[in-house]
């Protein structure tokens, strides 16, 4: 009976130590990589739609309006710049997921505002709410996910992958 009790206490202690180690490790990781990133951070960028930004030029359609792939690229770019403002030097992010709706066409010569808001931080995973506006009207909306990487380690891993 004493031996069983001792074993239970030993297991509880081991689990407690594992939890504390995990918590400390997670806090250190978070502090190291996200010390300047906060949920709610926002970046707004304005762009003028040119002929090079149209569906006809991007081979995604035949009309002279803002192409969906270009709009998505602008959303990703805004999110990249927002994340970069809060990362340590030497780190960057890569886009891994987009879930976007293109709601309205935008003519050449019009100015659009791209807004990216950091919605969630989960260790290295960053999730952004992204929107594009033309004259206050939503043109595109959705979410975009990026992961924090060390470019040197990233390239090494790619080179060593068969």
């Amino acid at each position: 009976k004493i031996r069983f009790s001792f074993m239970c206490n030993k297991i509880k202690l081991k689990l407690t130590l594992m939890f504390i180690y995990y918590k400390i490790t997670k806090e250190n990781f978070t502090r190291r990589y996200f010390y300047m990133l906060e949920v709610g951070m926002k970046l707004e960028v304005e762009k003028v739609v040119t002929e090079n930004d149209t569906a006809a030029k991007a081979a995604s359609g035949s009309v002279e309006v803002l192409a969906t792939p270009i709009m998505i690229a602008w959303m990703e770019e805004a999110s990249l710049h927002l994340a970069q403002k809060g990362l340590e030097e030497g780190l960057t992010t890569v886009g891994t997921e987009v879930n976007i709706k293109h709601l309205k066409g935008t003519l050449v010569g019009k100015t659009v505002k791209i807004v990216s808001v950091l919605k969630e931080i989960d260790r290295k995973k960053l999730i952004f709410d992204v929107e594009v506006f033309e004259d206050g009207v939503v043109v595109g909306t959705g979410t975009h996910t990026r992961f924090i990487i060390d470019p040197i380690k990233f390239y090494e891993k790619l080179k060593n992958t068969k």
Side-chain angles (χ1 to χ4, degrees), residues 74-76 78-79 98-100 114-117 128-133 138 140-144:
W74 289 350
M75 291 169 150
E76 286 196 74
S79 299
V98 289
N99 182 5
I100 305 298
I114 302 100
V115 179
S116 178
V117 178
F128 300 86
D129 282 329
V130 287
E131 291 183 302
V132 175
F133 297 90
V138 178
T141 185
T143 59
H144 174 47

Side-chain angles (χ1 to χ4, degrees), residues 40-43 82 115-120 127-130:
M41 289 176 66
K42 180 178 181 179
L43 180 71
L82 177 58
V115 179
S116 178
V117 178
L118 183 53
K119 174 177 137 178
E120 185 181 329
I127 300 175
F128 300 86
D129 282 329
V130 287

Side-chain angles (χ1 to χ4, degrees), residues 31-42:
R31 194 175 309 119
R32 179 172 175 216
Y33 288 107
F34 306 132
Y35 72 101
M36 297 282 292
L37 292 174
E38 294 179 21
V39 170
M41 289 176 66
K42 180 178 181 179

Side-chain angles (χ1 to χ4, degrees), residues 84-137:
Q84 209 62 46
K85 287 170 48 173
L87 291 176
E88 292 178 10
E89 190 173 322
L91 297 177
T92 191
T93 60
V94 291
T96 59
E97 182 179 339
V98 289
N99 182 5
I100 305 298
K101 292 181 181 178
H102 195 162
L103 305 172
K104 178 185 177 302
T106 304
L107 295 170
V108 171
K110 292 288 193 172
T111 299
V112 294
K113 179 169 61 173
I114 302 100
V115 179
S116 178
V117 178
L118 183 53
K119 174 177 137 178
E120 185 181 329
I121 302 170
D122 181 8
R123 290 169 275 163
K124 290 184 177 185
K125 181 179 178 181
L126 307 175
I127 300 175
F128 300 86
D129 282 329
V130 287
E131 291 183 302
V132 175
F133 297 90
E134 177 196 338
D135 298 327
V137 176

Side-chain angles (χ1 to χ4, degrees), residues 11-51:
I11 291 170
K12 285 180 189 176
L13 177 62
K14 192 172 188 176
L15 289 174
T16 302
L17 289 174
M18 286 172 56
F19 175 74
I20 290 170
Y21 174 77
Y22 169 75
K23 192 171 181 182
I24 289 170
T25 303
K26 186 176 178 186
E27 286 173 5
N28 286 342
F29 179 83
T30 301
R31 194 175 309 119
R32 179 172 175 216
Y33 288 107
F34 306 132
Y35 72 101
M36 297 282 292
L37 292 174
E38 294 179 21
V39 170
M41 289 176 66
K42 180 178 181 179
L43 180 71
E44 296 182 5
V45 179
E46 287 194 352
K47 299 231 182 215
V48 176
V49 178
T50 68
E51 287 183 19

